[in-house]
Every structure is written in structure tokens, then in C-alpha cells.
Amino acid sequence: MKHEVKLPELGEDANEAASVGFWMVETGSYVNEGDELLELTTDKAAFSVPSPASGVLTEKCVEDGDEVSVGDLLCVLEE
Amino acid sequence: MATQSPFPEWIRQGWASGEDFTYTKGLIEDLGLHTVCQSANCPNIGECWQRRTATMMVLGGTCTRSCRYCSVDSGKPAPPDPQEPENVAEAVRRMDLKHAVITMVTRDDLPDGGAAHIAETVRAIHRLNPGATVELLVPEFEGVEADIRTVLDAGAEVFGHNIETVERLYPVLRDRRSTYRLALDVLRQAAQYEPRPIVKSALMAGHGETEQDVEATLQDLLDAGCEAVSIGQYLRPGPKQRKVEAFVHPDQFKAYEAMAYEMGFLFATAGPFVRSSYRSDEMMKAYFARERIRAMGRVGS
């Protein structure tokens, strides 16, 4: 099953734009639900984004340094 | 090529996700409530909301003050929502909070600074949530005793007023109407009230204060009757706010915490992600807190 991983929203008034710091997993690797996928930075802090599912990371849709917003597709996992 | 992080390794949190986070978010939106978690772009939002806890902000989402580190909207607020106290109490019930932390904007536009609305919120929470304790984080009410008394009469178990920073940095950080001595005076009034609530304050690190500045502030807080303190790293909410002067090392925070206990605080917590309401439910489990709640005539949780 294909699983599209999107950047979850924080909240109505919250700052929801971030930039991609770096990926913590390589394309083709298997990740478990909850494993850290990538690091993002906002104005306030650095954040790790956990994987919402288990599977093989088949495609990264954003690269290091990209600006991302809530709802953007980050990567694709296949179970 | 990975981009260089502007933050030291310890300024790192988990991005919010998961069913529990979605539940908390839905509940806040459903009841039309404001939270400081969102208004302040708090980096702990993921962790706290995943634990199904949130710090609600009453008296609306617009503050009449404009402090240089804060991202809460500043301007002319709408009149308080008369339904808000009940809605907050309902949120506490649905989240099954044993300890509810309620913060608020400053309302210089209201004759009582919003004191009656805050008092009603405390009463509504206690009424709908028997056994739950309430922690308030209040503005200074321009030091008006009658307004502070209105709030104290409602019987919140924890009365919090944040000193925010050391005396030397007040003019550069805070709204000009806020003064260091006034903040201490508010805490003193709470400490002299009977039955005495737990009196708590908090300050930010990372604005260029020295250890001596922090020690002097802690002593002033103690002298005012403050018993609990939290110290956390200031993190710039956005480009409009003042920049971070220093990322204080976690070891320095540990030293601040130890210093606070040595000086005589009954509860102290310090760390990069410590906020005034961060994990405050843990304080309520401490022996002194349980004893105080008993002395206030409440069973507590």
C-alpha cells in the first residue's frame, strides 16, 4: 500500500511554514512508524518529523533547504 | 547537502502529529477557544497536545500590550465572550485534565482588567470538574488590589504571574507599561492572601542576562513570596520579535534549577523547553503542593 506523507498542521494561528534541514533516511530504506524521517526548522526551533506509518521510503518529494508548508507532500512510503 | 541548522542540537522538538494531536486540535476548534500553544508558536505544542493537554488563553486572542518577545496579536480586542468560561470548563472536562492551566492576554481596555471573567472561568472549571486544580497565569492588572483580589477570591490553586526577565532588561523587552516592581507587587499580594495559593513565576533565559542577574531576580521573587519558578530558553517566534541573544546550555539550566532550590524555592524547573505551564501537572504531585491544596480546603487530584 502506498502512503503519501504530508506535513501535518500545527494549529490555526500557528506558524506553519518551515524549511527542510536534512533527511535522516535514505530512499529505499525501511522505516518503522514513529522513526524520524527528516529535520525541519522554523523561526523558533528545529523539529524532527516522525513517520506516520511503516514501509519503504520510495520517493523523497522535498530536498534539503526547500521551504515547506502544512499539507505539502514530503515523501512516499510503500508498505 | 544538508543546510546548517541555526539552532544548537538541544533546540530540537518533535513535529506535531498523530491521533491525539488531532483530537486536541479538533476540541479546541470545536469550542472556539484560544491557546497560548498556538498564539505563541510554542515548540512544545506537539508534545503537549499529543498528551491531550493544552494551555487555554482566555479574554480573547488579542492583547492590549506589545512586548518585544511575544507573538500574541496586539491591538484592540473584542469584548470578552461570555460563553468562554463555560467553554473552557468544558474543554477541561473533555480533555479530562486533572490540572488546568489558564493563561490570558492583558486587557487594559476593560475596567477590571478582565478580573471578573477570569474568576468566573476558575469557578466554572471547578464546578464542572470536581477535584481538578487550576493554575492561572495572570497579567498585572496595573497592580490594582481590588482586581487581583477578585481573581484570588475565585480560589485557583496556583497563582502565576511571570516576571519574564531580569530587571535590567525590562526597558528593552517589555511593554513600557509593565515594570519589574509591579510584577513583584502582584506576586506579593497573592502570597499575602488567605488561604494562600501556590505562588509561581517564570522567566526567560537567552536575552543576554547574566547568572548574577538571574540570581538577583530569583531572590526578588522569593522576597515577594513566590515559591515556584520555571526558567526556559527564549525562542524567537518570528522575524518581528527580538532575536535570541544566547542559546543557554542545558547544563546552565540545571545550574539555575539547583540554585533556585538552594535559595529556597519549593519547586523549580529549568531547561531549554521549559515554559511556565510546561508539565506543570508534575508540580501538583509534590508534597508541598498537595499539602497546600489541602490547606486551601480542596481535595485536589
Side-chain angles (χ1 to χ4, degrees), chain A residues 7-15 18 20-22 24 36 39-50 64-65, chain B residues 1-3 5-7 11-17 21 25 29 38-43 45 49 235-239:
Chain A
L7 184 61
E9 60 184 326
L10 286 181
E12 202 181 357
D13 341 317
N15 185 348
V20 178
F22 55 90
M24 289 180 241
E36 295 180 340
E39 179 166 293
L40 300 178
T41 56
T42 68
D43 285 325
K44 217 161 190 182
F47 292 86
S48 59
V49 180
D64 298 354
Chain B
M1 179 70 188
T3 51
S5 174
F7 303 101
I11 303 296
R12 194 156 176 274
Q13 270 286 31
W15 191 270
S17 64
F21 178 84
K25 186 169 183 295
E29 285 169 3
Q38 293 168 299
S39 296
N41 293 340
C42 183
I45 189 169
W49 285 29
L235 294 169
R236 189 185 201 180

